[in-house]
Coordinates of all heavy atoms in Angstrom, one line a residue:
M1 N -17.2 -45.2 72.2 CA -16.0 -44.5 72.6 C -16.2 -43.4 73.6 O -17.1 -42.6 73.4 CB -15.4 -43.9 71.4 CG -14.6 -44.9 70.6 SD -13.9 -44.2 69.1 CE -12.4 -43.5 69.7
P2 N -15.5 -43.5 74.7 CA -15.7 -42.4 75.7 C -15.2 -41.1 75.2 O -14.1 -41.0 74.6 CB -14.9 -42.9 76.9 CG -13.9 -43.8 76.4 CD -14.5 -44.4 75.1
V3 N -15.9 -40.1 75.4 CA -15.5 -38.8 75.0 C -14.5 -38.2 75.9 O -14.7 -38.0 77.1 CB -16.7 -37.8 74.8 CG1 -16.2 -36.5 74.3 CG2 -17.7 -38.4 73.9
K4 N -13.4 -37.8 75.4 CA -12.3 -37.3 76.3 C -12.6 -35.8 76.5 O -13.0 -35.1 75.6 CB -10.9 -37.3 75.6 CG -10.4 -38.7 75.7 CD -9.0 -38.7 75.1 CE -8.4 -40.2 75.2 NZ -7.0 -40.2 74.5
P5 N -12.4 -35.4 77.7 CA -12.6 -33.9 78.0 C -11.6 -33.1 77.3 O -10.5 -33.5 77.1 CB -12.4 -33.8 79.5 CG -11.6 -35.0 79.9 CD -11.9 -36.1 78.9
A6 N -12.1 -32.0 76.8 CA -11.2 -31.1 76.1 C -10.0 -30.7 76.9 O -10.1 -30.5 78.1 CB -11.9 -29.8 75.7
P7 N -8.8 -30.7 76.3 CA -7.6 -30.3 77.1 C -7.7 -28.9 77.7 O -8.2 -28.0 77.0 CB -6.4 -30.4 76.1 CG -7.1 -30.4 74.8 CD -8.5 -30.9 74.9
K8 N -7.2 -28.7 78.8 CA -7.3 -27.4 79.4 C -6.3 -26.4 78.7 O -5.1 -26.7 78.5 CB -6.9 -27.5 80.9 CG -8.0 -28.1 81.7 CD -7.6 -28.2 83.2 CE -8.6 -29.0 84.0 NZ -8.1 -29.2 85.4
K9 N -6.8 -25.3 78.3 CA -6.0 -24.3 77.6 C -5.6 -23.1 78.5 O -5.0 -22.2 78.1 CB -6.7 -23.8 76.4 CG -6.6 -24.8 75.2 CD -7.2 -24.2 73.9 CE -7.1 -25.2 72.8 NZ -7.8 -24.7 71.6
E10 N -6.1 -23.2 79.7 CA -5.9 -22.1 80.6 C -4.4 -21.9 81.0 O -3.9 -20.8 81.0 CB -6.7 -22.3 81.9 CG -8.2 -21.7 81.7 CD -9.0 -22.0 82.9 OE1 -8.4 -21.8 84.0 OE2 -10.1 -22.3 82.8
E11 N -3.8 -23.0 81.3 CA -2.4 -22.9 81.8 C -1.5 -22.3 80.7 O -0.7 -21.4 81.0 CB -1.9 -24.2 82.3 CG -2.3 -24.4 83.7 CD -1.7 -25.7 84.3 OE1 -0.6 -26.0 84.0 OE2 -2.4 -26.4 85.1
P12 N -1.4 -22.8 79.5 CA -0.5 -22.2 78.5 C -0.8 -20.8 78.2 O 0.1 -20.0 78.1 CB -0.7 -23.1 77.3 CG -1.4 -24.3 77.7 CD -2.2 -24.0 79.0
A13 N -2.1 -20.5 78.2 CA -2.5 -19.1 77.9 C -1.9 -18.1 79.0 O -1.4 -17.1 78.7 CB -4.0 -19.0 77.9
K14 N -2.0 -18.6 80.3 CA -1.5 -17.8 81.3 C 0.0 -17.5 81.2 O 0.5 -16.4 81.4 CB -1.8 -18.4 82.7 CG -3.1 -18.0 83.3 CD -3.3 -18.6 84.7 CE -4.7 -18.3 85.2 NZ -4.9 -19.0 86.5
K15 N 0.7 -18.6 80.8 CA 2.1 -18.5 80.7 C 2.5 -17.5 79.6 O 3.4 -16.6 79.7 CB 2.7 -19.8 80.3 CG 3.1 -20.7 81.5 CD 3.8 -21.9 81.1 CE 4.1 -22.8 82.3 NZ 4.7 -24.1 81.9
E16 N 1.7 -17.5 78.5 CA 2.0 -16.6 77.4 C 1.8 -15.1 77.8 O 2.5 -14.2 77.4 CB 1.1 -16.9 76.2 CG 1.8 -18.0 75.3 CD 0.9 -18.4 74.2 OE1 -0.4 -18.3 74.3 OE2 1.4 -18.8 73.2
E17 N 0.8 -15.0 78.6 CA 0.5 -13.6 79.1 C 1.6 -13.1 79.9 O 1.9 -11.9 79.8 CB -0.8 -13.6 79.9 CG -2.0 -13.3 79.0 CD -3.3 -13.3 79.8 OE1 -3.3 -12.7 80.9 OE2 -4.3 -13.9 79.4
A18 N 2.1 -13.9 80.8 CA 3.1 -13.5 81.7 C 4.4 -13.2 81.0 O 5.1 -12.2 81.4 CB 3.3 -14.5 82.8
K19 N 4.8 -14.0 80.0 CA 6.1 -13.8 79.4 C 6.3 -12.5 78.7 O 7.2 -11.8 78.9 CB 6.3 -15.0 78.4 CG 7.2 -16.1 79.0 CD 7.6 -17.0 78.0 CE 8.4 -18.2 78.6 NZ 8.8 -19.2 77.6
P20 N 5.3 -12.1 77.8 CA 5.5 -10.8 77.0 C 5.6 -9.6 78.0 O 6.4 -8.7 77.7 CB 4.3 -10.7 76.1 CG 3.8 -12.1 76.0 CD 4.1 -12.8 77.3
A21 N 4.9 -9.6 79.0 CA 4.9 -8.5 79.9 C 6.3 -8.3 80.5 O 6.9 -7.2 80.6 CB 3.9 -8.7 81.1
A22 N 6.9 -9.4 80.9 CA 8.3 -9.4 81.5 C 9.3 -9.0 80.4 O 10.2 -8.2 80.7 CB 8.6 -10.7 82.1
A23 N 9.1 -9.5 79.2 CA 10.0 -9.2 78.2 C 9.9 -7.7 77.8 O 10.9 -7.1 77.5 CB 9.7 -10.1 76.9
A24 N 8.7 -7.2 77.8 CA 8.5 -5.8 77.4 C 9.2 -4.9 78.4 O 9.8 -3.9 78.1 CB 7.0 -5.5 77.3
E25 N 9.1 -5.3 79.7 CA 9.7 -4.4 80.7 C 11.2 -4.4 80.5 O 11.9 -3.4 80.6 CB 9.4 -5.0 82.1 CG 8.1 -4.4 82.7 CD 7.8 -5.0 84.1 OE1 8.8 -5.1 84.9 OE2 6.7 -5.3 84.3
A26 N 11.8 -5.6 80.2 CA 13.2 -5.7 80.1 C 13.7 -5.0 78.9 O 14.7 -4.2 78.9 CB 13.6 -7.2 80.0
S27 N 13.0 -5.1 77.7 CA 13.4 -4.5 76.5 C 13.2 -2.9 76.6 O 13.9 -2.2 75.9 CB 12.6 -5.0 75.3 OG 11.3 -4.8 75.4
A28 N 12.2 -2.5 77.4 CA 12.0 -1.1 77.5 C 13.1 -0.4 78.2 O 13.4 0.8 78.0 CB 10.6 -0.8 78.2
A29 N 13.7 -1.1 79.2 CA 14.7 -0.5 80.0 C 16.0 -0.5 79.2 O 16.8 0.4 79.3 CB 14.8 -1.2 81.3
A30 N 16.3 -1.5 78.5 CA 17.6 -1.7 77.8 C 17.9 -0.7 76.7 O 18.9 0.0 76.7 CB 17.8 -3.1 77.3
P31 N 17.0 -0.5 75.7 CA 17.3 0.4 74.6 C 17.5 1.8 75.0 O 18.3 2.5 74.4 CB 16.0 0.3 73.7 CG 15.4 -1.0 74.1 CD 15.7 -1.2 75.6
K32 N 16.8 2.3 76.1 CA 17.0 3.6 76.5 C 18.5 3.9 76.9 O 19.1 4.9 76.6 CB 16.1 3.9 77.7 CG 14.7 4.4 77.3 CD 13.9 4.9 78.5 CE 12.5 5.3 78.1 NZ 11.7 5.6 79.3
A33 N 19.0 2.9 77.6 CA 20.4 3.1 78.1 C 21.3 3.1 76.9 O 22.3 3.9 76.8 CB 20.8 2.0 79.0
Q34 N 21.1 2.2 75.9 CA 21.9 2.1 74.7 C 21.8 3.4 73.9 O 22.8 3.9 73.4 CB 21.5 1.0 73.8 CG 22.0 -0.4 74.3 CD 21.6 -1.5 73.5 OE1 20.7 -1.3 72.6 NE2 22.1 -2.7 73.7
K35 N 20.6 4.0 73.8 CA 20.5 5.2 73.0 C 21.3 6.4 73.6 O 22.0 7.1 72.9 CB 19.0 5.7 73.0 CG 18.3 5.1 71.7 CD 16.9 5.7 71.6 CE 16.2 5.1 70.5 NZ 14.8 5.7 70.4
A36 N 21.3 6.5 74.9 CA 22.0 7.5 75.6 C 23.5 7.4 75.3 O 24.2 8.4 75.0 CB 21.8 7.5 77.1
E37 N 24.0 6.2 75.3 CA 25.4 6.0 75.1 C 25.8 6.3 73.6 O 26.8 7.0 73.3 CB 25.8 4.5 75.3 CG 26.1 4.2 76.8 CD 26.4 2.8 77.0 OE1 27.0 2.2 76.2 OE2 26.0 2.3 78.1
K38 N 24.9 6.0 72.7 CA 25.1 6.3 71.3 C 25.2 7.8 71.1 O 26.0 8.3 70.3 CB 24.0 5.7 70.4 CG 24.3 4.3 70.0 CD 23.4 3.8 68.9 CE 23.6 2.4 68.5 NZ 22.6 1.9 67.6
K39 N 24.3 8.5 71.7 CA 24.3 10.0 71.5 C 25.5 10.6 72.0 O 26.1 11.5 71.4 CB 23.1 10.6 72.3 CG 21.8 10.6 71.4 CD 20.8 11.5 72.1 CE 19.5 11.6 71.2 NZ 18.5 12.4 71.8
R40 N 26.0 10.1 73.1 CA 27.3 10.7 73.7 C 28.4 10.4 72.7 O 29.3 11.3 72.5 CB 27.6 10.0 75.0 CG 26.9 10.7 76.2 CD 27.4 10.1 77.5 NE 26.4 10.4 78.5 CZ 26.4 9.7 79.7 NH1 27.2 8.8 79.9 NH2 25.5 10.1 80.6
E41 N 28.5 9.3 72.1 CA 29.6 9.0 71.1 C 29.5 9.9 69.9 O 30.5 10.3 69.4 CB 29.5 7.5 70.7 CG 30.1 6.6 71.7 CD 29.9 5.1 71.4 OE1 29.9 4.8 70.2 OE2 29.7 4.3 72.3
K42 N 28.3 10.1 69.4 CA 28.1 10.9 68.3 C 28.5 12.4 68.5 O 28.9 13.1 67.7 CB 26.6 10.9 67.8 CG 26.4 9.8 66.8 CD 25.0 9.9 66.2 CE 24.8 8.8 65.1 NZ 23.4 9.0 64.5
K43 N 28.2 12.8 69.8 CA 28.5 14.2 70.1 C 30.0 14.5 70.0 O 30.3 15.7 69.8 CB 28.0 14.5 71.5 CG 26.6 15.1 71.6 CD 26.3 15.7 72.9 CE 25.0 16.4 73.0 NZ 24.7 16.9 74.3
H44 N 30.8 13.5 70.2 CA 32.3 13.8 70.2 C 32.7 14.2 68.8 O 33.0 13.4 68.0 CB 33.0 12.6 70.7 CG 34.3 12.9 71.3 ND1 34.5 13.5 72.5 CD2 35.6 12.6 70.8 CE1 35.7 13.7 72.7 NE2 36.4 13.2 71.7
K45 N 32.7 15.5 68.5 CA 33.1 16.0 67.2 C 34.5 16.6 67.2 O 35.1 16.6 68.2 CB 32.1 17.0 66.7 CG 31.1 16.4 65.7 CD 30.3 17.5 65.1 CE 29.5 17.1 63.8 NZ 28.8 18.2 63.2
E46 N 34.8 17.2 66.1 CA 36.1 17.9 66.0 C 36.1 19.1 66.9 O 35.1 19.8 67.0 CB 36.2 18.4 64.5 CG 37.6 18.9 64.2 CD 37.7 19.4 62.8 OE1 37.0 18.9 61.9 OE2 38.4 20.4 62.5
E47 N 37.2 19.2 67.6 CA 37.3 20.3 68.6 C 37.3 21.6 67.9 O 37.9 21.8 66.8 CB 38.5 20.1 69.5 CG 39.8 20.0 68.7 CD 41.0 19.9 69.6 OE1 40.9 20.2 70.8 OE2 42.1 19.5 69.1
K48 N 36.6 22.6 68.5 CA 36.5 23.9 67.9 C 37.2 25.0 68.8 O 37.4 24.7 70.0 CB 35.1 24.3 67.7 CG 34.5 23.5 66.5 CD 33.0 23.9 66.3 CE 32.4 23.1 65.2 NZ 31.0 23.3 65.1
G49 N 37.4 26.1 68.2 CA 38.0 27.2 69.0 C 39.4 27.5 68.5 O 40.0 26.8 67.7
V50 N 40.0 28.6 68.9 CA 41.3 29.0 68.5 C 42.4 28.0 68.9 O 43.3 27.8 68.2 CB 41.6 30.4 69.1 CG1 43.0 30.9 68.5 CG2 40.5 31.4 68.8
H51 N 42.2 27.3 70.0 CA 43.2 26.4 70.5 C 43.3 25.2 69.5 O 44.4 24.6 69.5 CB 42.8 25.9 71.9 CG 41.6 25.1 71.9 ND1 40.3 25.6 71.9 CD2 41.4 23.7 71.8 CE1 39.4 24.7 71.9 NE2 40.0 23.5 71.8
A52 N 42.3 25.0 68.7 CA 42.4 23.8 67.7 C 43.3 24.2 66.5 O 43.7 23.3 65.8 CB 41.0 23.5 67.2
M53 N 43.6 25.5 66.4 CA 44.4 25.9 65.2 C 45.9 25.7 65.5 O 46.7 25.8 64.6 CB 44.2 27.4 64.9 CG 42.7 27.7 64.8 SD 42.0 27.1 63.2 CE 40.3 27.6 63.5
Y54 N 46.3 25.5 66.7 CA 47.7 25.4 67.1 C 48.0 24.0 67.7 O 47.1 23.3 68.3 CB 48.0 26.4 68.2 CG 47.9 27.8 67.7 CD1 46.7 28.5 68.0 CD2 48.9 28.5 67.0 CE1 46.6 29.8 67.5 CE2 48.8 29.8 66.6 CZ 47.6 30.5 66.9 OH 47.4 31.8 66.5
K55 N 49.2 23.6 67.4 CA 49.7 22.3 68.0 C 51.0 22.6 68.7 O 51.9 23.3 68.1 CB 49.9 21.3 66.9 CG 48.7 20.3 66.9 CD 49.0 19.1 66.0 CE 47.9 18.2 65.8 NZ 48.2 17.1 64.9
T56 N 51.2 22.0 69.8 CA 52.5 22.3 70.5 C 53.3 21.0 70.5 O 52.7 19.9 70.9 CB 52.2 22.7 72.0 OG1 51.4 21.8 72.6 CG2 51.6 24.1 72.0
E57 N 54.5 21.1 70.2 CA 55.4 19.9 70.2 C 56.7 20.3 71.0 O 57.5 21.0 70.5 CB 55.8 19.4 68.8 CG 54.6 18.8 68.1 CD 54.9 18.6 66.6 OE1 56.1 18.7 66.2 OE2 53.9 18.4 65.9
G58 N 56.6 20.0 72.3 CA 57.7 20.4 73.1 C 57.6 21.9 73.3 O 56.7 22.4 73.9
D59 N 58.7 22.6 72.9 CA 58.7 24.1 73.0 C 58.1 24.8 71.8 O 57.9 26.0 71.8 CB 60.1 24.6 73.3 CG 60.6 24.1 74.7 OD1 59.8 23.7 75.5 OD2 61.8 24.1 74.9
K60 N 58.0 24.1 70.7 CA 57.6 24.7 69.5 C 56.1 24.7 69.3 O 55.4 23.7 69.6 CB 58.3 24.0 68.3 CG 59.8 24.3 68.2 CD 60.4 23.7 67.0 CE 61.9 24.1 66.9 NZ 62.5 23.5 65.7
V61 N 55.6 25.8 68.7 CA 54.2 25.9 68.4 C 54.0 25.8 66.9 O 54.7 26.6 66.1 CB 53.6 27.2 68.9 CG1 52.1 27.3 68.6 CG2 53.8 27.2 70.4
S62 N 53.2 25.0 66.4 CA 52.9 24.9 64.9 C 51.5 25.1 64.7 O 50.6 24.8 65.5 CB 53.4 23.6 64.4 OG 52.6 22.5 65.0
R63 N 51.2 25.7 63.5 CA 49.8 26.0 63.1 C 49.2 24.8 62.3 O 49.9 24.3 61.4 CB 49.7 27.3 62.3 CG 49.8 28.5 63.2 CD 50.7 29.6 62.6 NE 51.0 30.7 63.5 CZ 52.1 30.6 64.3 NH1 52.9 29.6 64.2 NH2 52.3 31.6 65.1
T64 N 48.0 24.4 62.6 CA 47.5 23.2 61.9 C 46.9 23.6 60.5 O 46.7 22.8 59.7 CB 46.4 22.6 62.7 OG1 45.4 23.6 63.0 CG2 46.9 22.0 64.0
R65 N 46.6 24.9 60.3 CA 46.1 25.4 59.1 C 46.8 26.6 58.6 O 47.3 27.4 59.5 CB 44.6 25.8 59.2 CG 43.7 24.5 59.4 CD 42.4 24.9 60.0 NE 41.8 23.9 60.8 CZ 40.6 23.9 61.3 NH1 39.8 24.9 61.1 NH2 40.2 22.9 62.0
P66 N 46.9 26.8 57.3 CA 47.6 28.0 56.8 C 46.8 29.3 57.1 O 45.5 29.2 57.2 CB 47.7 27.8 55.3 CG 46.7 26.8 55.0 CD 46.5 25.9 56.2
T67 N 47.5 30.4 57.2 CA 46.7 31.7 57.5 C 46.4 32.3 56.1 O 46.9 31.9 55.1 CB 47.6 32.6 58.3 OG1 48.9 32.8 57.6 CG2 47.8 32.1 59.7
C68 N 45.5 33.2 56.2 CA 45.0 33.9 54.9 C 46.1 34.8 54.4 O 46.8 35.5 55.1 CB 43.8 34.7 55.2 SG 43.2 35.6 53.8
E69 N 46.3 34.7 53.1 CA 47.4 35.5 52.5 C 47.0 37.0 52.4 O 47.8 37.9 52.3 CB 47.7 35.0 51.0 CG 48.4 33.6 51.1 CD 48.5 33.0 49.7 OE1 48.4 33.7 48.7 OE2 48.7 31.8 49.7
R70 N 45.7 37.2 52.3 CA 45.2 38.6 52.1 C 45.1 39.3 53.5 O 45.4 40.4 53.7 CB 43.8 38.6 51.5 CG 43.8 39.4 50.2 CD 42.4 39.5 49.7 NE 42.1 38.6 48.6 CZ 40.9 38.4 48.1 NH1 39.8 38.9 48.7 NH2 40.7 37.6 47.1
C71 N 44.6 38.6 54.5 CA 44.3 39.2 55.8 C 45.5 39.1 56.7 O 45.6 39.9 57.6 CB 43.2 38.4 56.5 SG 41.6 38.4 55.5
G72 N 46.5 38.2 56.4 CA 47.7 38.2 57.2 C 47.6 37.2 58.3 O 46.6 36.5 58.5
P73 N 48.6 37.1 59.1 CA 48.6 36.2 60.2 C 47.5 36.5 61.2 O 47.2 37.7 61.5 CB 50.0 36.4 60.9 CG 50.5 37.7 60.4 CD 49.9 37.9 59.0
G74 N 47.0 35.5 61.8 CA 45.9 35.7 62.7 C 44.5 35.3 62.1 O 43.6 35.1 62.8
Y75 N 44.5 35.3 60.8 CA 43.3 34.8 60.1 C 43.5 33.5 59.5 O 44.2 33.3 58.5 CB 42.9 35.9 59.0 CG 42.4 37.2 59.6 CD1 43.3 38.2 59.8 CD2 41.1 37.3 59.9 CE1 42.9 39.4 60.3 CE2 40.6 38.5 60.4 CZ 41.5 39.6 60.7 OH 41.1 40.7 61.2
F76 N 43.0 32.5 60.2 CA 43.2 31.1 59.7 C 42.2 30.8 58.6 O 41.0 31.3 58.6 CB 43.1 30.1 60.8 CG 44.2 30.1 61.7 CD1 44.2 30.9 62.9 CD2 45.4 29.4 61.4 CE1 45.3 30.9 63.8 CE2 46.5 29.5 62.3 CZ 46.4 30.2 63.4
T77 N 42.6 29.9 57.7 CA 41.7 29.5 56.6 C 41.0 28.2 57.0 O 41.5 27.4 57.8 CB 42.4 29.2 55.3 OG1 43.5 28.4 55.6 CG2 43.0 30.6 54.8
A78 N 39.8 28.0 56.5 CA 39.0 26.8 56.8 C 39.6 25.6 55.9 O 40.0 25.8 54.8 CB 37.6 27.0 56.5
D79 N 39.7 24.5 56.5 CA 40.3 23.3 55.8 C 39.2 22.5 55.2 O 38.5 21.7 55.9 CB 41.1 22.5 56.9 CG 41.9 21.4 56.2 OD1 41.9 21.4 54.9 OD2 42.5 20.6 56.9
H80 N 39.0 22.7 53.9 CA 38.0 21.8 53.2 C 38.8 20.7 52.5 O 40.0 20.7 52.4 CB 37.3 22.7 52.1 CG 36.4 23.7 52.7 ND1 35.2 23.4 53.2 CD2 36.6 25.0 52.9 CE1 34.6 24.6 53.7 NE2 35.5 25.5 53.6
H81 N 38.1 19.8 51.9 CA 38.7 18.6 51.3 C 39.6 19.0 50.1 O 40.6 18.3 49.8 CB 37.7 17.5 51.0 CG 36.8 17.9 49.9 ND1 35.7 18.7 50.1 CD2 36.8 17.5 48.6 CE1 35.1 18.9 48.9 NE2 35.7 18.2 48.0
D82 N 39.3 20.0 49.4 CA 40.0 20.4 48.2 C 40.6 21.8 48.2 O 41.2 22.2 47.3 CB 39.2 20.1 47.0 CG 37.9 21.0 47.0 OD1 37.6 21.5 48.1 OD2 37.3 21.3 45.9
R83 N 40.3 22.5 49.3 CA 40.7 23.9 49.3 C 40.8 24.5 50.7 O 40.2 23.9 51.6 CB 39.7 24.8 48.4 CG 38.3 24.9 49.1 CD 37.3 25.2 48.1 NE 36.0 25.5 48.8 CZ 35.2 24.5 49.2 NH1 35.5 23.2 49.0 NH2 34.1 24.8 49.8
Y84 N 41.4 25.6 50.8 CA 41.4 26.4 52.0 C 40.7 27.7 51.8 O 40.9 28.4 50.7 CB 42.9 26.7 52.5 CG 43.7 25.5 52.9 CD1 44.7 25.1 52.0 CD2 43.5 24.9 54.1 CE1 45.4 24.0 52.4 CE2 44.2 23.8 54.4 CZ 45.2 23.3 53.6 OH 46.0 22.2 53.9
T85 N 39.8 28.1 52.6 CA 39.1 29.3 52.4 C 39.1 30.2 53.7 O 39.2 29.7 54.8 CB 37.6 29.1 52.1 OG1 37.0 28.3 53.2 CG2 37.4 28.4 50.8
C86 N 39.2 31.5 53.4 CA 39.2 32.5 54.5 C 37.7 32.9 54.8 O 37.0 33.3 53.8 CB 40.0 33.6 54.2 SG 39.9 35.0 55.4
G87 N 37.3 32.8 56.0 CA 35.9 33.2 56.3 C 35.8 34.7 56.4 O 34.7 35.3 56.5
H88 N 37.0 35.4 56.5 CA 37.0 36.9 56.7 C 36.8 37.6 55.4 O 35.9 38.5 55.3 CB 38.2 37.3 57.4 CG 38.3 38.7 57.8 ND1 37.5 39.2 58.8 CD2 38.9 39.8 57.3 CE1 37.7 40.5 59.0 NE2 38.6 40.9 58.1
C89 N 37.6 37.2 54.4 CA 37.5 37.9 53.1 C 37.1 37.0 51.9 O 36.8 37.5 50.9 CB 38.9 38.5 52.8 SG 40.1 37.2 52.4
G90 N 37.0 35.7 52.2 CA 36.5 34.9 51.1 C 37.6 34.3 50.2 O 37.4 33.7 49.2
F91 N 38.9 34.6 50.6 CA 40.0 34.1 49.8 C 40.0 32.6 49.8 O 39.8 31.9 50.8 CB 41.3 34.6 50.5 CG 42.6 34.1 49.8 CD1 43.0 34.7 48.6 CD2 43.3 33.1 50.4 CE1 44.2 34.2 48.0 CE2 44.4 32.6 49.8 CZ 44.9 33.2 48.6
T92 N 40.3 32.0 48.6 CA 40.3 30.6 48.5 C 41.6 30.1 47.8 O 42.0 30.7 46.8 CB 39.1 30.1 47.6 OG1 37.9 30.6 48.1 CG2 39.0 28.6 47.5
R93 N 42.2 29.2 48.4 CA 43.4 28.6 47.8 C 43.2 27.1 47.7 O 42.9 26.4 48.7 CB 44.6 28.9 48.6 CG 45.9 28.6 47.8 CD 47.1 29.0 48.6 NE 47.3 28.1 49.7 CZ 48.3 28.2 50.6 NH1 49.1 29.3 50.6 NH2 48.4 27.4 51.6
Y94 N 43.3 26.6 46.4 CA 43.0 25.2 46.2 C 44.3 24.4 46.6 O 45.4 24.8 46.4 CB 42.7 24.9 44.7 CG 41.2 25.4 44.5 CD1 41.0 26.7 44.1 CD2 40.2 24.5 44.7 CE1 39.7 27.1 43.8 CE2 38.9 24.9 44.4 CZ 38.6 26.2 44.0 OH 37.4 26.7 43.8
K95 N 44.0 23.2 47.1 CA 45.1 22.3 47.5 C 45.7 21.7 46.2 O 45.0 21.3 45.3 CB 44.6 21.2 48.4 CG 44.1 21.7 49.7 CD 43.6 20.6 50.6 CE 43.1 21.1 51.9 NZ 42.4 20.0 52.7
Q96 N 47.0 21.6 46.2 CA 47.7 21.0 45.1 C 47.8 19.5 45.3 O 48.1 19.1 46.4 CB 49.1 21.6 44.9 CG 49.0 23.0 44.3 CD 49.8 24.0 45.0 OE1 50.6 23.6 45.9 NE2 49.7 25.2 44.7
K97 N 47.6 18.7 44.3 CA 47.6 17.3 44.4 C 48.9 16.7 43.9 O 49.5 17.3 43.0 CB 46.5 16.6 43.6 CG 45.2 16.8 44.4 CD 44.0 16.2 43.6 CE 42.7 16.5 44.4 NZ 41.5 16.0 43.6
Ligands
ZN101 ZN1 41.1 36.6 54.4

């Protein structure tokens, strides 16, 4: 029986080497762009500042949160899930269910 020469393994090996390199380049560039977009979306939080305490509907201005009963108008209470608290004096009023 004639001995067959061993099959050449050089060509497939070269192909394998070339593929991962190209894939790594492509995957390295893509996730970076996605991460930046995700961070921007997460940053969009609840608006802060005095302007967030008021809402305007036409000519009328309404307050989004009750003011502190002890400190009077101008001192808004923080809106928690079960209570309103004043950051100035610590007054707490629980929400009625
Ligand atoms: Zn207060």
Side-chain angles (χ1 to χ4, degrees):
M1 277 176 88
V3 179
K4 281 185 183 177
K8 287 179 186 175
K9 279 185 183 176
E10 273 178 41
E11 272 185 41
K14 269 186 187 176
K15 270 187 187 176
E16 274 178 333
E17 264 179 47
K19 262 192 185 177
E25 268 180 46
S27 63
K32 270 187 185 177
Q34 279 181 352
K35 266 190 184 177
E37 275 181 34
K38 269 191 183 177
K39 269 192 177 178
R40 269 184 203 168
E41 279 176 32
K42 269 192 179 178
K43 263 193 176 180
H44 206 68
K45 257 193 168 182
E46 191 182 327
E47 55 180 342
K48 285 178 181 175
V50 185
H51 65 279
M53 310 286 175
Y54 298 94
K55 257 189 184 178
T56 53
E57 288 168 17
D59 292 342
K60 287 186 178 178
V61 179
S62 61
R63 285 142 189 88
T64 56
R65 290 165 210 186
T67 54
C68 179
E69 290 172 21
R70 235 189 259 171
C71 302
Y75 289 92
F76 286 97
T77 52
D79 188 7
H80 295 279
H81 67 283
D82 61 340
R83 68 199 187 280
Y84 295 106
T85 57
C86 173
H88 187 71
C89 67
F91 176 80
T92 305
R93 195 176 69 187
Y94 285 89
K95 293 177 183 175
Q96 286 131 8
K97 283 179 185 176

